[in-house]
Amino acid sequence: MIITTCGNSTKLAKALAVKLQARYSPLTLSSFPDGDIYLKFNTRLKGKKLIIVQSFHPHSDQSLFDVVFAAETAKQLGAKKVILVAPYLAYMRQDKMFNQGECISSRVMAKLLNNSVDRIITIDPHLHRYKSLKEIFTIPATKMTANSVIADYVKSKVRNPVIIGPDWESFQWAEVVAKQVGCPVTCLEKTRFSSRKVTSKMKNPIPIKGKDVVIVDDIISTGNTIIQAAKKAKKAGAKSITAIGVHGIFVENAIPRMKKNGVTRVLCTNTIERKESKLDVSDLIVKELKRR
Ligand code: R5P
């Protein structure tokens, strides 16, 4: 088994190689002066199983192309099977034509991957209108969840927790995490006016005064969804506010803006590698790769 990455998940790929006792072999990936991709494998792949570990952030479009080029090349070089571990899978939020003429990006992304990899494993993909990855993937597609990793963190580090899902979609994560922690949970009703403007209100209020609030969502991008929830928690008398996203994208100064609006701590998993990625998903992936 050979493990590689197209650059976004280097630490995770190396950790998986160690835990699976597999060989980590970096790709040579650069671009020609005109921007065309240059890609080269530096190991023999004939008859081997190749695992490409690549989060689709940053640069979702480039990541998708890099993965397709790498997978196609691996097959030309005789790889027996190409498995994509995409800890964060981008494009999933555009899952319908919201306005006439729009691209349903998730379908295009899936079509490209269906044609080039043999299997995909991902963590907490944004399944909202799709109920299953099977609706867009024809290859075997495994959805894993970081809920247990988040629950373990809350159990060990948060003294008096209540969990808030900042919108209805996030309740699927918030509810499971709260159950594992054994603490109260509620979710907010969010209205999104644009990709940057959201408002929310608490539908089923729970006691928050003096509590350590943990806001759980799958993706934190601009942080605006978290900010709305944090404002409600602060107003209701929360003692501290921790924001946990499975996937910490953090664009447009999301972290300082969340902190300015009352968030005490911001954390995410290492599906996207950054300073705040304190929650490790490598054991979950190892377990899945060992299973089949
Ligand atoms: C969308 O429904 C997702 O679950 C997140 O709530 C959303 O992507 C967060 O985006 P932002 O941080 O920009 O508000």
Side-chain angles (χ1 to χ4, degrees):
M1 184 194 285
I2 306 282
I3 300 192
T4 195
T5 175
C6 299
N8 281 351
S9 303
T10 310
K11 284 189 197 154
L12 188 58
K14 286 181 181 170
L16 293 179
V18 171
K19 290 181 182 190
L20 289 162
Q21 295 180 327
R23 185 136 77 82
Y24 171 72
S25 173
L27 286 177
T28 303
L29 240 178
S30 63
S31 48
F32 287 97
D34 58 3
D36 287 2
I37 292 173
Y38 173 85
L39 186 149
K40 177 177 174 288
F41 280 91
N42 296 298
T43 189
R44 288 177 66 81
L45 292 176
K46 203 165 174 52
K48 302 262 171 63
K49 187 196 270 187
L50 175 72
I51 300 183
I52 304 173
V53 187
Q54 175 73 356
S55 182
F56 280 41
H57 181 83
H59 312 303
S60 43
D61 46 359
Q62 191 189 324
S63 291
L64 179 57
F65 256 71
D66 287 349
V67 166
V68 169
F69 276 57
E72 293 290 344
T73 309
K75 284 185 183 162
Q76 278 165 22
L77 294 170
K80 187 173 70 182
K81 195 169 185 187
V82 179
I83 299 176
L84 170 64
V85 175
Y88 168 66
L89 188 61
Y91 296 109
M92 290 298 286
R93 283 172 292 179
Q94 187 76 20
D95 55 2
K96 76 168 200 177
M97 198 183 287
F98 295 92
N99 299 295
Q100 180 54 35
E102 279 177 0
C103 168
I104 306 176
S105 319
S106 48
R107 290 202 176 275
V108 180
M109 172 274 293
K111 194 171 175 184
L112 290 168
L113 295 178
N114 283 333
N115 285 335
S116 48
V117 302
D118 299 310
R119 181 184 174 200
I120 177 168
I121 297 172
T122 186
I123 298 185
D124 291 313
H126 189 82
L127 290 175
H128 180 199
R129 275 156 285 261
Y130 301 135
K131 296 301 162 229
S132 154
L133 289 173
K134 286 202 179 83
E135 290 182 46
I136 50 172
F137 286 104
T138 51
I139 50 173
T142 307
K143 169 193 120 165
M144 301 177 60
T145 177
N147 281 338
S148 60
V149 174
I150 296 175
D152 286 348
Y153 174 83
V154 176
K155 276 194 263 180
S156 66
K157 302 275 189 224
V158 184
R159 189 175 292 196
N160 199 4
V162 296
I163 310 271
I164 296 183
D167 55 19
W168 175 240
E169 288 144 84
S170 66
F171 196 59
Q172 55 184 296
W173 292 279
E175 190 183 28
V176 176
V177 170
K179 205 168 171 194
Q180 290 181 14
V181 173
C183 71
V185 61
T186 190
C187 87
L188 304 184
E189 197 175 73
K190 175 169 94 177
T191 310
R192 184 176 278 288
F193 299 97
S194 71
S195 56
R196 290 186 176 80
K197 191 167 183 328
V198 293
T199 61
S200 52
K201 59 174 188 259
M202 198 176 292
K203 261 193 100 183
N204 301 307
I206 53 169
I208 284 183
K209 201 170 168 49
K211 298 280 187 182
D212 296 304
V213 167
V214 182
I215 307 170
V216 176
D217 205 351
D218 60 337
I219 298 169
I220 305 179
S221 179
T222 63
N224 289 339
T225 300
I226 297 288
I227 287 172
Q228 290 306 317
K231 282 181 177 170
K232 299 278 168 310
K234 202 172 158 190
K235 207 167 156 199
K239 186 170 156 220
S240 71
I241 302 172
T242 302
I244 304 182
V246 178
H247 312 295
I249 293 180
F250 307 141
V251 293
E252 302 181 353
N253 281 323
I255 296 182
R257 286 178 48 251
M258 284 187 278
K259 292 204 167 158
K260 211 171 132 194
N261 282 282
V263 176
T264 328
R265 258 179 309 191
V266 180
L267 291 163
C268 57
T269 74
N270 55 351
T271 60
I272 295 173
E273 296 183 355
R274 52 191 344 132
K275 173 161 111 303
E276 296 76 18
S277 314
K278 298 272 192 300
L279 312 180
D280 181 17
V281 294
S282 63
D283 285 341
L284 296 175
I285 300 171
V286 166
K287 212 166 155 191
E288 181 57 36
L289 287 170
K290 276 186 175 165
R291 215 164 62 86
R292 302 194 266 156

